[in-house]
Amino acid sequence: MPYPPPPRALPGPRRRTLLASAAGAALLAGCSAGPADPDGGTGGSPSLAERARARAARDSEDLVARYDAVLAAHPAVERLVAPLRAEAVRHMEAFGGGASGPSSPPSATPSPSASTSPSASVRAVPADQRDALTELAAAERTLADERAKALLGLPGELARLLASVAAAGAAHAFLLTEGAR
């Protein structure tokens, strides 16, 4: 027995077509950055991004202070440490920090005003050069790991910057570890 002819289709789009179009439009609208999203990302609020950027700048400032302390205590490692310190300064500036931080490495003879620590997180530098480099490498490694974990909830551009700086920190840790040998 033949099937009955289908009922006459109404002109215009069908219900499935409308639902698929609405779902596609919602998906596209959810994936694009709106005018109120200056970072161009989709994850995280601007306040979250600002806090993450400020923390990254503070962490970089602390790291620069550690580099300064090692350079002041062990001027012989300047050839290894100075380029890495310069990169840490660039990272600090990329996150918007450094307006009040030191911009040049300290001299071998610190001035009396340099005896006050720029950061509370900077500890005494070990007397042994290898131990100082190992401690600096550990600080770089720890900070790189923290930054790698923090980038998951951040907007696109800031997450890319943080990932790049975390990778550079891991490379610094490797170079410092090798230099301590």
Side-chain angles (χ1 to χ4, degrees):
M1 177 185 304
Y3 289 108
R8 184 170 171 243
L10 297 175
R14 296 181 179 222
R15 184 174 16 175
R16 285 184 186 162
T17 306
L18 287 174
L19 288 175
S21 298
L27 182 65
L28 287 175
C31 291
S32 64
D37 193 358
D39 289 330
T42 59
S45 65
S47 62
L48 174 66
E50 290 169 5
R51 285 192 313 254
R53 187 178 292 273
R55 176 175 176 149
R58 257 190 333 271
D59 290 343
S60 291
E61 287 173 4
D62 291 346
L63 192 60
V64 169
R66 282 180 177 252
Y67 274 108
D68 289 343
V70 169
L71 283 169
H74 302 286
V77 298
E78 183 175 1
R79 197 164 163 215
L80 170 67
V81 175
L84 302 178
R85 182 204 177 275
E87 288 298 316
V89 169
R90 285 189 198 100
H91 298 160
M92 177 179 58
E93 292 168 351
F95 290 121
S100 63
S103 61
S104 62
S107 62
T109 57
S111 64
S113 64
S115 63
T116 58
S117 175
S119 170
S121 69
V122 177
R123 290 179 243 132
V125 177
D128 183 43
Q129 181 175 315
R130 284 183 169 179
D131 291 341
L133 290 176
T134 301
E135 190 175 282
L136 192 55
E140 279 275 16
R141 192 175 301 108
T142 301
L143 185 55
D145 291 344
E146 288 174 5
R147 286 175 170 167
K149 289 176 188 172
L151 61 88
L152 292 176
L154 297 177
E157 189 64 31
L158 182 57
R160 285 187 288 275
L161 176 62
L162 202 60
S164 176
V165 171
H172 291 183
F174 172 77
L175 292 171
L176 289 166
T177 302
E178 289 297 310
R181 291 184 183 195

